[in-house]
Amino acid sequence: MAADKQSILIIYTGGTIGMREDPKTKTLSPMKFELIQEEIPELYKLGFGIESITFTPPIDSANMTPAIWIQIAKTIKTYYSKYDGFVILHGTDTMAYTASALSYMLENLDKPVIMTGSQLPIGVLRTDGKENIITAIQIAAAKKDGKAVVPEVCIYFSSNLFRGNRTTKEDSQQFSAFTSHHYPPLATAGVDIKYNYEKINYPRSKGILNINTSIDENVIVIKIFPGLNRKYFESILTLEGLKGIVLESYGSGNMPTFPWVFEAIRKATDLGMIFMNVSQCPGGNVKMGYYETSRELKEAGVVSGKDITVEAGITKLMFLLGQNLPVSEVKAYLLQNLSGELEN
Ligand code: ASP
């Protein structure tokens, strides 16, 4: 590989982009990366040094686990000095969760980690996978004054480059599968790729990449709805080992004001349970205390998730609980911006 040629490592974890239809069962399942490469001869025209690693077996991202997040983080760490950027091929279903988790786990990141995938497999004539993978590679290789243009964990999909921990999968049918309600795209790809430089996070200090792989899975998401059953709610909150709960509340962070709801929450917080209030509303912000229906939550020690997504919220909780910090510190960090996942 010529010394001045950008080098990119593709980490193929699975997803529709690399799937093929089984002629017998008619279901889609992942194939090997070599077969994907055969479908995109254009990759060689990019002029970059492109190498790949395939996770075995490649999976449908519905089967994603924190153990695989750790495997991805370790792979990036192992090959960090050898490549200018990383492209992760991943199923769309849980891509926003993986992107969020990686954004916390990769500390001092100063190279691009661009996740992408597709809605139609790469071998299908109308696939969106080719444009997605080619542009993701170009973004991962982009440099200005010798430095990476986007040294963040991002999702590139259907002309938009989003900060990964701000994304949500919003469509399983359209090619534009992802959106970012609270943060503008870091780049848009039309005839040219236009970068939104002021919105991109650049590392403040120069440090070596550190991967923090401590994740605690003793968490759960509870979506609030009219008719929430008292018995079920109370029994979830007393489950043995459970340490953190994302409450998916209404609107600007509201919950029913039935006394049993607050009593159950207060009892649990007294025993060290951590609650994070994340809104079911894709837009807007959690403002605890704005309405009567959220004032008591604040008093009971529930932490505002502000404008965080559920994906970034639950992974942040898993990450912070993994650090073995006192409850008060976990709560303090939940309110802070760790890697661009919420407004300050
Ligand atoms: N079920 C697939 C996956 O997440 C969907 C996709 O890739 O778009 O792996």
Side-chain angles (χ1 to χ4, degrees):
M1 193 186 301
D4 55 351
K5 197 160 140 183
Q6 316 282 67
S7 57
I8 301 297
L9 181 65
I10 296 179
I11 302 172
Y12 170 52
T13 67
T16 298
I17 192 160
M19 288 191 189
R20 214 174 19 192
E21 191 180 87
D22 183 307
K24 276 193 210 135
T25 63
K26 301 279 177 222
T27 54
L28 289 172
S29 56
M31 58 185 179
K32 288 194 210 136
F33 187 74
E34 294 72 63
L35 297 172
I36 301 180
Q37 252 173 327
E38 280 173 20
E39 299 287 350
I40 336 174
E42 293 90 340
L43 283 188
Y44 302 103
K45 292 193 195 159
L46 285 168
F48 303 132
I50 298 174
E51 286 169 4
S52 67
I53 284 186
T54 300
F55 281 11
T56 41
I59 57 163
D60 186 305
S61 80
N63 292 323
M64 187 48 62
T65 60
I68 304 178
W69 299 339
I70 293 169
Q71 199 185 338
I72 298 172
K74 284 186 174 165
T75 305
I76 291 172
K77 174 76 179 166
T78 305
Y79 295 101
Y80 199 63
S81 56
K82 191 172 169 205
Y83 296 95
D84 296 296
F86 300 83
V87 170
I88 303 175
L89 300 183
H90 192 292
T92 56
D93 287 347
T94 60
M95 199 186 292
Y97 292 88
T98 302
S100 300
L102 289 175
S103 77
Y104 308 128
M105 293 163 83
L106 302 172
E107 295 170 352
N108 294 326
L109 184 69
D110 66 356
K111 294 186 178 182
V113 173
I114 313 297
M115 301 188 68
T116 195
S118 67
Q119 294 283 51
L120 281 175
I122 202 85
V124 171
L125 215 50
R126 290 182 54 249
T127 187
D128 51 329
K130 283 192 186 184
E131 195 280 321
N132 282 349
I133 190 170
I134 289 168
T135 308
I137 292 172
Q138 288 183 315
I139 292 170
K143 286 197 177 179
K144 199 177 174 203
D145 303 329
K147 294 209 171 100
V149 174
V150 197
E152 291 204 43
V153 179
C154 299
I155 290 185
Y156 176 76
F157 222 90
S158 187
S159 304
N160 282 305
L161 181 75
F162 294 121
R163 175 169 298 153
N165 59 28
R166 290 294 196 154
T167 58
T168 296
K169 181 175 177 181
E170 68 159 0
D171 207 308
S172 58
Q173 171 70 22
Q174 301 301 317
F175 286 148
S176 51
F178 290 92
T179 192
S180 165
H181 286 284
H182 292 106
Y183 205 76
L186 302 183
T188 46
V191 173
D192 298 312
I193 301 176
K194 291 217 160 81
Y195 293 96
N196 198 353
Y197 289 98
E198 313 86 76
K199 296 293 174 189
I200 299 171
N201 270 349
Y202 291 96
R204 264 173 251 134
S205 58
K206 242 195 131 25
I208 53 164
L209 178 80
N210 178 44
I211 56 163
N212 189 330
T213 55
S214 305
I215 296 286
D216 192 328
E217 296 174 36
N218 291 301
V219 295
I220 202 164
V221 178
I222 302 180
K223 186 164 188 157
I224 306 303
F225 58 96
L228 178 71
N229 182 292
R230 177 176 182 173
K231 205 168 61 182
Y232 300 154
F233 187 68
E234 288 174 348
S235 58
I236 292 173
L237 268 52
T238 52
L239 281 175
E240 210 191 316
L242 187 61
K243 296 182 193 160
I245 299 178
V246 167
L247 290 173
E248 256 199 87
S249 60
Y250 304 128
S252 51
N254 307 311
M255 296 252 298
T257 53
F258 312 139
W260 58 264
V261 173
F262 294 111
E263 269 159 37
I265 292 175
R266 196 166 285 127
K267 260 193 213 159
T269 46
D270 285 350
L271 293 171
M273 181 78 78
I274 296 170
F275 290 90
M276 186 182 196
N277 187 353
V278 178
S279 177
Q280 294 173 21
C281 261
N285 204 333
V286 166
K287 285 188 187 149
M288 293 213 307
Y290 187 63
Y291 288 100
E292 179 62 20
T293 39
S294 64
R295 187 181 53 82
E296 283 190 60
L297 290 176
K298 200 173 174 184
E299 283 170 19
V302 175
V303 181
S304 170
K306 301 183 182 179
D307 63 348
I308 204 166
T309 61
V310 172
E311 295 89 332
I314 191 72
T315 48
K316 186 173 182 179
L317 199 50
M318 293 165 101
F319 174 76
L320 289 174
L321 285 169
Q323 310 310 307
N324 278 323
L325 301 165
V327 168
S328 59
E329 275 186 47
V330 173
K331 287 186 174 182
Y333 279 123
L334 282 176
L335 288 165
Q336 281 175 34
N337 174 8
L338 298 185
S339 54
E341 74 283 4
L342 48 71
E343 64 165 15
N344 262 321

